[in-house]
């Protein structure tokens, strides 16, 4: 960079990262995000702190800048008109992302990279346009999780720089951190109050869940065994973060069906968590003489949850009861219906129709199939609309009246939210059976892996215990379809031998339960690839990616990457 005096080590390393990221030395190019969430924990805690500081610094040549953990500017306060014009000229304004990889060495992005406070003075900036400024950034972390929340940055013109900038930034960051602690305590207190009230009034099993809190009352612990408790805890993930009351039904491994009623808890306008009251809708089958569901060709799974669903389908199909199979995409609804119906009535032909593929021809095909004596499955029935829906309703009534296909068995598949189906169609189907997502029966993953590989004609692959355990830890957002795609990706790279952790796609080397953004997924994959390339050497992987060791360690923890 042609510096006239020695450069501090942190600055030199930051310049190297900036160079590796091909940052433009003449013009900063921060990415812009047009939507900023202003009701996060960080924003609520920071607002009064920044209000107070900015009032003290009114018209002073100092600007207070708050960013999130990704370096996106959330708030900018204070500063005289001349300083604000200069900041605008380099896009250091709300919505712009001031990370090192985009704008080079700076108080915000470099603080994020080193994971702690740092001051960048004038010529220490990598980008020429930023050398008119001096800035000091201090990171803000969550008091409970230790996770990074954002950066508090103090920026001034380079000619006004002094060592107090960094002290000022650290003090402001500490005040924000303290307010996060206060809010966390207040939110926990509000949730605890609602939890105790529910325990007193319900007299039954009660759960409470917040960001960092999970509680289960003594009644729930006594009523449900360890396996059912684990299933309940896993099922509550679907309610976590919900801002509206929610009621959902779940089948437990014991055979019991439970009704879970979730009600959110608020502190003012802030969600503190929620309380779930549980009611048993059917007693568990405890008789050891009761036979397990038969192993049906075309289905794979021996877990209690999967066996329970199989048994329900067998009973319904055995009575030729029209039914709806609902559940998340990729759970195997159609495969289950096909397999069980063919097991119960192998002599009958089974037709499958899809509104998305057939459009207006669906009615004609459905009538023809029913008149020929076939049974019928209509998948993705929530897509039925308009004249097709009206015509199908009339056709089903004709079947009920015995005008055509009087002995036909008919089923629908629907996504997890069945509220989209028309009431007039729902009236024909007295039974709804929920096919559980894969995350609710992960003990079936080994059997599913063997079955899916066999169906794909891949017979030479085996999975090490560590690899299989990792597959069973994943959330499988796309369920069985997702697992099939992962196995196909593995098979493209290895057709035989033992699959080790390093052979898994990057997405399977991380166990974070939250939904990643596209940028985060790319970053996770890059880190996994680098770790694989350098045999788990974090220092070498960090160097190849142009990030510090502190950053790569933080990212590994954040994404739950297995090393």
């Amino acid at each position: 960079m042609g510096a006239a005096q020695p450069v501090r080590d942190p600055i030199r390393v930051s310049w190297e990262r900036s160079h590796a990221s091909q940052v433009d030395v003449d013009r900063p190019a921060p990415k812009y995000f047009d939507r900023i969430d202003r009701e996060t924990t960080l924003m609520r805690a920071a607002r009064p702190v920044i209000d107070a500081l900015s009032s003290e610094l009114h018209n002073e040549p100092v600007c207070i800048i708050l960013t999130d953990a990704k370096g996106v500017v959330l708030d900018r306060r204070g500063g005289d008109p001349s300083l604000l014009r200069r900041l605008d000229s380099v896009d250091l304004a709300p919505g712009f992302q001031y990370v090192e990889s985009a704008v080079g060495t700076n108080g915000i992005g470099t603080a994020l990279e080193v994971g702690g406070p740092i001051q960048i003075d004038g010529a220490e900036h990598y980008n020429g346009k930023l050398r008119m400024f001096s800035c000091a950034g201090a990171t803000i972390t969550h008091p409970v999780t230790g996770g990074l929340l954002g950066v508090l940055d103090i920026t001034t013109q380079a000619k006004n720089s002094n060592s107090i900038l960094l002290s000022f930034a650290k003090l402001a960051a500490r005040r924000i951190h303290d307010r996060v602690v206060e809010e966390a305590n207040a939110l926990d207190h509000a949730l605890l109050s609602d939890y105790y009230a529910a325990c007193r009034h319900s007299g039954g099993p009660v759960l409470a869940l917040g960001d960092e809190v999970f509680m289960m009352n003594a009644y729930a612990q006594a009523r449900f065994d360890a396996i059912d408790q684990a299933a309940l805890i896993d099922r509550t993930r679907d309610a976590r973060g919900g801002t509206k009351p929610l009621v959902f039904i779940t089948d437990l491994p014991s055979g019991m069906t439970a009704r879970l009623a979730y009600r959110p808890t608020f502190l003012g306008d802030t969600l503190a968590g929620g309380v779930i009251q549980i009611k048993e809708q059917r007693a568990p089958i405890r008789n050891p003489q009761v036979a397990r569901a038969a192993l049906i060709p075309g289905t794979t799974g021996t877990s209690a949850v999967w066996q329970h669903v199989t048994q329900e389908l067998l009973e319904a199909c055995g009575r030729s009861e029209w039914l709806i199979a609902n559940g998340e995409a990729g759970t195997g609804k159609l495969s289950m219906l096909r397999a069980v119906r063919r097991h119960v009535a192998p002599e009958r032909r089974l037709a499958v129709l899809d509104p998305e593929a057939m459009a207006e021809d669906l009615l004609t095909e459905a009538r023809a199939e029913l008149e020929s004596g076939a049974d019928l499955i209509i998948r993705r029935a929530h897509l039925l609309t308009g004249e097709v829906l009206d015509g199908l309703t009339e056709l089903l009534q004709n079947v009920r009246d015995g005008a055509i296909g009087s002995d036909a068995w008919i089923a629908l598949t629907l996504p997890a939210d069945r509220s989209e189906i028309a009431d007039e169609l729902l009236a024909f189907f007295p039974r709804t059976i929920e096919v559980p997502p894969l995350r609710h029966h992960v003990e079936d993953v080994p059997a599913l892996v063997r079955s899916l590989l066999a169906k794909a004609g891949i017979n030479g692959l085996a999975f090490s215990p560590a690899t299989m355990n990792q597959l069973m830890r994943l959330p499988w957002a796309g369920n069985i379809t997702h697992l099939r795609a992962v196995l196909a990706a593995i098979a493209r790279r290895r057709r035989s031998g033992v699959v080790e952790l390093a052979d898994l796609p990057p997405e399977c080397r991380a166990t974070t339960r939250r939904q990643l953004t596209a940028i985060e997924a790319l970053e996770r994959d890059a880190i996994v690839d680098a770790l694989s390339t350098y045999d788990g050497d974090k220092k070498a992987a960090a160097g190849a990616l142009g990030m510090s060791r502190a950053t790569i360690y933080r990212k590994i923890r954040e994404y739950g990457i297995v090393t």
Side-chain angles (χ1 to χ4, degrees):
M1 299 293 296
Q5 57 187 5
V7 177
R8 293 187 289 151
D9 283 345
I11 303 302
R12 177 182 54 78
V13 174
S14 175
W15 284 355
E16 291 172 355
R17 288 194 299 265
S18 301
H19 178 71
S21 298
Q22 299 182 329
V23 173
D24 189 331
V25 297
D26 296 319
R27 176 72 186 176
K31 185 175 180 180
Y32 179 72
F33 295 84
D34 58 358
R35 293 185 180 181
I36 299 177
D37 186 355
R38 299 191 179 277
E39 291 306 318
T40 62
T41 297
L42 175 62
M43 286 291 282
R44 289 192 300 270
R47 194 173 290 123
V49 175
I50 296 177
D51 285 345
L53 292 176
S54 61
S55 64
E56 296 174 11
L57 299 173
H58 182 64
N59 276 335
E60 293 293 329
V62 175
C63 195
I64 306 163
I65 298 168
L66 179 72
T67 81
D68 65 12
K70 301 298 181 184
V72 177
V73 178
L74 304 175
D75 199 356
R76 190 185 74 179
R77 305 280 196 90
D80 59 25
S82 174
L83 176 60
L84 292 177
R85 284 195 299 272
R86 285 177 168 84
L87 293 175
D88 286 340
S89 72
V90 294
D91 295 330
L92 184 45
F96 287 96
Q97 186 179 35
Y98 248 67
V99 289
E100 269 195 358
S101 59
V103 299
T105 306
N106 71 93
I108 295 166
T110 305
L112 290 172
E113 286 293 335
V114 302
I118 193 166
Q119 181 164 331
I120 310 296
D121 284 321
E124 291 182 328
H125 287 88
Y126 183 82
N127 186 283
K129 290 284 187 180
L130 299 183
R131 292 177 191 164
M132 69 177 87
F133 305 108
S134 285
C135 49
T139 52
I140 305 164
T141 57
H142 195 284
V144 179
T145 67
L148 183 65
L149 295 177
V151 172
L152 191 285
D153 175 85
I154 306 296
T155 293
T156 187
Q157 293 188 56
K159 64 183 181 181
N160 299 323
S161 179
N162 61 63
S163 60
I164 203 171
L165 277 183
L166 186 58
S167 298
F168 191 32
K170 290 193 287 187
L171 176 62
R174 182 64 196 178
R175 289 182 182 175
I176 295 170
H177 178 275
D178 290 344
R179 289 195 61 85
V180 174
V181 173
E182 293 172 8
E183 179 178 277
N185 291 338
L187 292 174
D188 288 348
H189 180 77
L191 180 60
L192 191 62
S193 177
D194 278 5
Y195 169 70
Y196 283 145
C199 290
R200 288 195 302 270
H201 296 146
S202 76
V206 178
L207 310 177
L209 55 153
D211 282 345
E212 304 299 331
V213 175
F214 183 89
M215 293 177 284
M216 176 183 293
N217 68 352
Y219 193 101
Q221 296 177 49
R223 184 66 191 90
F224 302 109
D225 62 24
I227 297 175
D228 276 1
Q229 286 182 33
L232 284 169
I233 292 170
D234 191 76
R235 192 68 173 89
T236 60
R237 288 194 182 97
D238 297 336
R240 188 179 295 275
T243 58
K244 295 181 180 179
L246 174 68
V247 175
F248 50 99
I249 309 297
T250 187
D251 292 322
L252 301 178
S254 64
M256 178 188 300
T257 298
R259 178 182 183 271
L260 285 71
Y262 166 83
R263 183 169 292 277
T265 292
F266 288 93
L267 180 64
D269 295 330
T270 304
L271 180 69
V275 174
I276 296 177
Q277 297 186 41
I278 306 171
K279 293 187 182 297
E280 302 162 22
Q281 293 204 317
R282 184 167 66 245
I285 300 172
R286 300 291 185 189
N287 186 352
Q289 302 302 317
V290 175
R292 292 171 64 84
L295 293 176
I296 309 298
T299 66
T300 303
T302 58
S303 66
V305 170
W306 195 255
Q307 287 282 304
H308 177 64
V309 173
T310 303
Q311 187 62 47
E312 281 196 302
L313 287 170
L314 280 170
E315 292 172 0
C317 289
R319 296 191 298 268
S320 289
E321 185 177 44
W322 292 12
L323 60 88
I324 294 171
N326 77 334
E328 296 176 10
T331 52
K333 301 182 290 293
L334 180 59
S335 297
M336 284 282 283
L337 287 173
R338 277 175 161 160
V340 172
R341 184 56 182 174
R342 284 172 178 165
H343 179 78
V344 170
E347 74 286 353
R348 293 186 63 86
R349 198 165 67 82
L350 182 61
V352 178
L353 305 181
D354 187 339
E356 187 174 59
M358 307 188 71
E360 294 83 4
D361 295 334
L362 184 138
L363 275 179
T364 302
E365 290 292 329
R367 179 177 293 276
E369 294 290 357
L370 291 170
E371 288 176 343
S372 71
D375 292 332
L376 188 63
I377 297 174
I378 299 177
R379 64 184 310 202
R380 294 186 281 201
H382 62 292
L383 299 178
L384 293 164
T385 57
E387 294 181 1
V388 175
L389 175 61
D390 294 340
L392 181 63
T393 302
E394 183 179 350
L395 181 61
L396 294 178
Q397 187 61 56
N398 289 336
V399 177
R400 282 292 190 211
D401 294 340
I404 58 171
S406 58
D407 59 347
W409 174 81
I410 302 175
L412 309 178
T413 73
L414 287 173
D417 180 6
R418 75 176 206 170
S419 62
E420 298 177 70
I421 188 172
D423 290 338
E424 57 267 33
L425 189 59
L426 189 63
F428 290 98
F429 298 88
R431 183 79 176 271
T432 297
I433 296 175
E434 181 181 359
V435 179
L438 183 53
R439 64 182 178 276
H440 291 174
H441 60 110
V442 290
E443 58 267 49
D444 288 327
V445 166
L448 282 166
V449 167
R450 291 191 294 271
S451 174
L452 292 170
L453 288 175
K455 288 179 180 177
I458 303 168
N459 301 313
L461 278 181
F463 286 71
S464 71
T467 305
M468 190 61 75
N469 287 339
Q470 175 65 7
L471 293 180
M472 293 173 69
R473 294 173 61 200
L474 299 175
W476 295 115
N479 297 297
I480 297 173
T481 300
H482 189 181
L483 176 60
R484 181 186 295 112
V486 165
L487 294 177
I490 293 170
R492 283 194 293 270
R493 299 176 61 183
R494 175 189 285 275
R495 298 289 295 179
S496 62
V498 178
V499 178
E500 302 290 352
L501 282 172
D503 299 315
L504 293 178
E507 64 170 305
C508 296
R509 298 279 299 279
T511 55
T512 181
R513 289 275 175 174
R514 68 182 179 85
Q515 184 69 35
L516 299 182
T517 65
I519 293 175
E520 288 174 328
L522 289 172
E523 182 178 58
R524 174 205 61 198
D525 292 355
I527 293 171
V528 170
D529 286 340
L531 289 168
S532 297
T533 299
Y534 293 97
D535 296 324
D537 186 329
K538 299 178 182 64
K539 181 179 179 181
L545 293 169
M547 63 176 60
S548 68
R549 277 184 292 175
T551 299
I552 198 169
Y553 276 105
R554 174 168 57 82
K555 297 291 185 181
I556 288 170
R557 290 194 301 271
E558 181 181 339
Y559 294 136
I561 296 171
V562 178
T563 59

